[in-house]
Amino acid sequence: PSATAVRTIGIGFIHNNQPCIHTSVMKLTVVGLGGKHELEVKAADTLAAVKAQLAPLVSLPPEELKLVAKGKTPPDATPLSALGLADGGKLMLMRSQAGAKSLQQRGKAAAPASATSANSRPLGAPPWLSIGCEVDYLDSGGERHSAVVQAIHTDDPPQLYCTVALAGGGERQTPLDRVQPRGGGGGAGGGGVGGRGAVTAAGEGPVLLSVSQGASKFELRCEPHSTVLSLKALLAPLVSGGAEPAAMRLLAKGKEAADDATVAALGMAPAGGRLMLLFKRRHHAEREGEALVQDGVARLAELRERVGKLTLRLRKRLLDAAEAQVQLGALEEELNAISLDLKNAAPNETSDAAAVRRERLAECARVGDELSAARKEHADALLGAQLGR
């Protein structure tokens, strides 16, 4: 109308200075968990509403689903309009942490008494792999970590993957090419996988791309119109450590490719081509943060043991005043250093390491209180002795 000013803003518009959202239906493509789903949604629909549509299609409750938009995992209450998704937009579907734990529990419940029984091994899994078996987990650098298989996932039959519990703490969802029988340099009975230099594959389509990340190699199959962002989404479950697409950089002919660039635009269709995978600085900072947290956990456990021993010696009055003050001061200084390292660590806030970091910072505060109490108790005992009580 002539009396009102209307101007468009993406998939919405401003009417009488009030933001409005088009209510027309648009199509949304959701890919993941072994399937591809076309949904009809509205721009005002939230991700929770999208999960509700997907739940009966994938036979999973909404709380066990995770939706990734442009490399990030927005909250369930986020409307599609806030994500900039228009007609024909795409989302990636994965299992949430609750979904992974639920699958793990179902796997344990279904596991027979013998962890090596064939009944606990899905069709297509190597003969040495079963729920509860001990394995070596290979990280992105080819380093081995002792682990136990918690679950073998069969929601994506073309590429089985499993959840492993690391001996040092934490869990990882990993493709089978990153696990080996304990102590084996390769698979038993021809079922093993390689470490550094091993090739893993993902995706479907006529175009074959080779992606290198250090000594690791990945093969991706895709369509000519596939975007760089979709390639990163394919790589996400293959890369050790749970790297998010937003933390990745893909280089084509020495230059970083934009997320919205297509394979055809990069000159790699239909013949294919080579890409290099790097990570943004944030990714490396998060990995360094995880290492700092692991180091802090070990140092704090050792320090707490020494605090307990010193407290016992003080109560038995086995130390003179000067020696007690020196040892208490040394422990307090060491505790402050551990606390500072943990505060400076910057793991991904959604990772297990971040939760451990928060727990250990709280423990640092408790140990500090114990040291303060020990110092006060020792001072009171000295004062009592001087006063002849």
Side-chain angles (χ1 to χ4, degrees):
S2 59
T4 57
V6 177
R7 64 181 186 276
T8 59
I9 51 167
I11 58 175
F13 59 93
I14 296 292
H15 179 79
N16 286 340
N17 293 321
Q18 295 296 321
C20 305
I21 299 297
H22 289 308
T23 58
S24 59
V25 174
M26 64 182 188
K27 292 190 180 295
L28 188 69
T29 302
V30 182
V31 180
L33 296 183
K36 181 177 180 181
H37 309 282
E38 301 285 347
L39 305 181
E40 289 189 348
V41 298
K42 296 179 181 179
D45 288 348
T46 63
L47 289 180
V50 176
K51 288 184 179 181
Q53 282 199 55
L54 288 167
L57 301 178
V58 297
S59 300
L60 289 172
E63 61 268 20
E64 293 188 15
L65 303 178
K66 178 171 75 171
L67 288 171
V68 180
K70 300 180 179 179
K72 298 181 179 179
T73 308
D76 283 353
T78 305
L80 297 176
S81 57
L83 302 176
L85 292 173
D87 189 39
K90 293 184 179 180
L91 290 173
M92 181 178 178
L93 178 63
M94 303 174 67
R95 285 184 184 272
S96 65
Q97 290 185 348
K101 289 181 180 179
S102 175
L103 187 62
Q104 172 186 334
Q105 291 169 356
R106 292 197 296 270
K108 286 181 177 178
S114 172
T116 57
S117 169
N119 292 331
S120 64
R121 186 176 61 251
L123 181 66
W128 50 267
L129 183 68
S130 59
I131 297 171
C133 73
E134 296 183 345
V135 296
D136 286 338
Y137 165 73
L138 301 170
D139 63 20
S140 58
E143 185 176 350
R144 293 176 182 270
H145 304 269
S146 297
V148 175
V149 176
Q150 300 292 308
I152 303 173
H153 305 288
T154 58
D155 52 5
D156 192 7
Q159 185 180 347
L160 294 176
Y161 62 104
C162 61
T163 297
V164 297
L166 303 182
E171 292 183 350
R172 295 287 186 273
Q173 284 191 5
T174 175
L176 297 189
D177 64 344
R178 290 198 180 277
V179 291
Q180 293 183 355
R182 177 64 55 84
V193 294
R196 297 180 70 88
V199 177
T200 55
E204 296 178 351
V207 182
L208 176 62
L209 301 177
S210 175
V211 183
S212 61
Q213 183 231 331
S216 299
K217 307 294 181 185
F218 308 99
E219 288 183 354
L220 304 181
R221 287 199 169 273
C222 60
E223 301 290 343
H225 59 266
S226 297
T227 64
V228 169
L229 183 59
S230 69
L231 299 180
K232 291 179 179 180
L234 288 174
L235 287 167
L238 304 183
V239 176
S240 176
E244 293 285 345
M248 298 180 184
R249 299 171 58 207
L250 279 175
L251 274 61
K253 300 177 182 178
K255 295 183 179 180
E256 184 173 358
D259 281 352
D260 59 354
T262 64
V263 172
L266 296 177
M268 297 185 179
R274 297 179 180 274
L275 295 168
M276 179 181 292
L277 173 62
L278 299 176
F279 294 100
K280 297 179 181 179
R281 184 175 300 176
R282 185 193 72 185
H283 174 83
H284 296 294
E286 289 173 352
R287 292 297 171 270
E288 291 172 1
E290 291 175 3
L292 281 173
V293 169
Q294 291 178 359
D295 181 61
V297 168
R299 290 162 59 196
L300 185 57
E302 191 265 341
L303 179 66
R304 179 175 273 284
E305 183 178 351
R306 286 161 51 202
V307 169
K309 290 180 179 179
L310 178 59
T311 301
L312 184 61
R313 296 181 68 191
L314 291 176
R315 287 175 179 170
K316 292 183 177 181
R317 299 186 183 180
L318 299 177
L319 299 175
D320 60 35
E323 187 177 0
Q325 293 301 318
V326 169
Q327 292 199 28
L328 282 168
L331 289 177
E332 287 172 339
E333 185 176 341
E334 189 172 344
L335 176 64
N336 289 336
I338 294 173
S339 179
L340 182 61
D341 284 346
L342 287 172
K343 288 177 181 177
N344 289 335
N348 188 310
E349 283 303 313
T350 62
S351 67
D352 293 340
V356 171
R357 172 178 172 269
R358 290 190 290 270
E359 294 169 359
R360 293 303 175 263
L361 281 172
E363 186 176 353
C364 282
R366 292 193 293 270
V367 174
D369 291 340
E370 291 174 15
L371 285 172
S372 297
R375 186 183 287 278
K376 184 178 184 302
E377 183 179 347
H378 180 63
D380 290 344
L382 288 178
L383 181 60
Q386 292 173 0
L387 294 177
R389 293 200 298 266

